[in-house]
Structure formats: C-alpha cells, structure tokens
Amino acid sequence: MAEVQRIAGELGFARKGFDEAGIDPAGNIIVTSGDRKVVVRSDGSRDYMLETVNLDNRQAISVAKARQIAEDTVRGLNLGQDLKVDTIRVGHTAGGTNAGSGQFDKGHPTDVGVFFRPVIDGLSNVNHDHGNLMVSVDNDGTVTSLRDTTRPIADIRKIDAFSGPKLPRQKGGDITKLLHDGIKGRYGRAKVTLLSDTVSVGYDFSGKTGNLVAQALFDIDFGHNMHKQAQIRVPVTAA
C-alpha cells in the first residue's frame, strides 16, 4: 500500500483517507479523500477516481493535447518503468435531455482515454488487463481517472537465482511454429488458420511472474459456414 499511498499523494489525496480506509464485501480496499476515491481491488489493480467528467463541455479536446496531459501525468508519478502510449480511446455520450423533452440529445465526445503499456528491453506485454495504465482526460483538460494494473519490474539478471516457474525449453525459434504447435489437436479435424496480423511477442503479466510468450488469433473453420476465433498463448524459451 505504500506505493499506492505515494501515487495518491501525488494526485492530491490526503493522508487521512488512508488512515480511515475501509474494505468492501468483495475484499476491495476503499480510500476516500473528499470527492476522490482510490479502489485497490482484490486482484491488485488500482483505480484512482479523481474528478467527474464535465459532460457540459461539448468542445472536444484534441487527442494530441489529451495525450500530452496524460504523458505529463505519468511522467510526474515516477512509476519506475518505461511506459509508452499504445492506444487512444475517445469516449462519447448521447441520450435524452435533462428537461425530459422526449427528444434524444445529440451525441458528443466527452473524454480521451490514453492507454500505456510497459516496454522492457524493447518488448511490451500482451495483456489488456494486466501490467498497463489508462489515464482519462476530459474536454476541460482535467485528468479524471487512472486505472493502474502495472506490476513492479525487477531485473532478474542481477539476481543469483530466479525463483519463478521453470518453463520447458522448446526447439527452434520459429514463432509461427510455436503457435501452430500450441493449437495442434485442440479442435479435432477443424481447419485452423493463423491470422498473421495478430501475432505478437511480449511479456504475460497475468500470473505471478512476467513470462515471455507468443500470442495470436486463429480462425477455426468447422465447416458448414461455422467459424470461431481462438486466442493462443504459448511460452517462448531459449532453444
């Protein structure tokens, strides 16, 4: 919790909120500071809820400006790892008016979410829900929330013995072959086709350690115009 408290302090939370933290029925730790809230979830992820998105400002912030604000915020938090922008999400809203006119209000952009991934020796991670950071910026240029699933990163090359799981060595360095071997036999006689534009190599943070893996989607053709897609993730180890 010390690191969560440090980050919260950088974001304007008062120390008193941590002295009075509570736990909800799901095992999540809840910290409040005025209208702000930190939720430390049972899976270790942290949500910093800072401000309410200003829905009345319909003048969309530029993606470039929102990105700069998000990058400056991340830089100021000193998280101790290299985080790079991966994707940008623009939020929209639409619906009825507050007066209940019976007509739908015209939709408009509300905020920009900037999604960061860690980069370790030139490689990123393959997860969408582990090891990343999302910063949301509304049209006022206000950072409204952060969702932090980053993991501490240690250089195991400086450690005499690695205590993580030992993965079986695999012959050859052909990533395509590793992926095909990983799906072999899973779908009987169905035709499987690797979707080559989905192949990625990176770290898998879904477990207790960050292991190097290859990941891709396959199209599974069962015949009679029946298809599904399957994601395959296999360990990549030295030959």
Side-chain angles (χ1 to χ4, degrees):
M1 283 291 287
E3 179 66 1
V4 175
Q5 186 171 336
R6 183 193 70 79
I7 293 173
E10 295 284 352
L11 295 170
F13 282 76
R15 170 66 183 266
K16 182 180 179 181
F18 283 85
D19 295 336
E20 301 174 351
I23 301 178
D24 69 11
N28 304 313
I29 299 173
I30 312 294
V31 178
T32 58
S33 178
D35 293 332
R36 299 183 168 197
K37 181 188 293 186
V38 181
V39 179
V40 182
R41 303 194 183 281
S42 55
D43 63 0
S45 62
R46 288 81 63 198
D47 286 320
Y48 300 86
M49 289 166 265
L50 309 176
E51 304 287 347
T52 301
V53 173
N54 183 6
L55 300 179
D56 292 329
N57 184 355
R58 300 186 173 217
Q59 184 63 45
I61 189 172
S62 71
V63 169
K65 183 177 180 180
R67 173 173 176 161
Q68 186 62 59
I69 292 170
E71 288 181 319
D72 289 345
T73 299
V74 171
R75 192 177 302 111
L77 293 177
N78 299 312
L79 295 175
Q81 53 186 290
D82 187 13
L83 292 165
K84 301 295 185 184
V85 174
D86 180 71
T87 53
I88 304 288
R89 173 198 60 80
V90 179
H92 287 75
T93 188
T97 63
N98 292 332
S101 65
Q103 297 184 4
F104 281 107
D105 197 11
K106 186 177 180 181
H108 64 278
T110 57
D111 63 327
V112 175
V114 184
F115 187 80
F116 294 81
R117 287 187 182 276
V119 179
I120 308 164
D121 289 339
L123 287 177
S124 186
N125 65 329
V126 297
N127 315 98
H128 293 297
D129 49 0
H130 300 283
N132 308 306
L133 181 69
M134 170 75 87
V135 180
S136 295
V137 182
D138 73 0
N139 290 334
D140 291 341
T142 300
V143 175
T144 58
S145 66
L146 288 85
R147 177 164 178 77
D148 184 3
T149 64
T150 58
R151 302 285 185 87
I153 295 174
D155 189 348
I156 62 173
R157 292 169 296 191
K158 299 177 181 178
I159 302 175
D160 291 336
F162 173 50
S163 60
K166 294 183 179 180
L167 299 174
R169 292 180 178 270
Q170 297 180 349
K171 297 180 179 180
D174 185 348
I175 298 302
T176 300
K177 182 177 184 304
L178 289 178
L179 289 164
H180 276 102
D181 288 347
I183 200 171
K184 186 183 297 182
R186 294 194 184 188
Y187 294 97
R189 297 185 178 182
K191 180 182 178 182
V192 296
T193 303
L194 175 65
L195 304 180
S196 58
D197 60 341
T198 69
V199 176
S200 62
V201 176
Y203 292 95
D204 176 14
F205 290 151
S206 62
K208 293 183 178 180
T209 58
N211 298 312
L212 190 62
V213 299
Q215 175 178 289
L217 289 176
F218 282 81
D219 177 77
I220 316 299
D221 182 357
F222 296 97
H224 305 288
N225 203 30
M226 294 179 59
H227 291 253
K228 70 171 285 185
Q229 287 187 351
Q231 178 179 278
I232 297 297
R233 186 179 293 169
V234 296
V236 176
T237 59

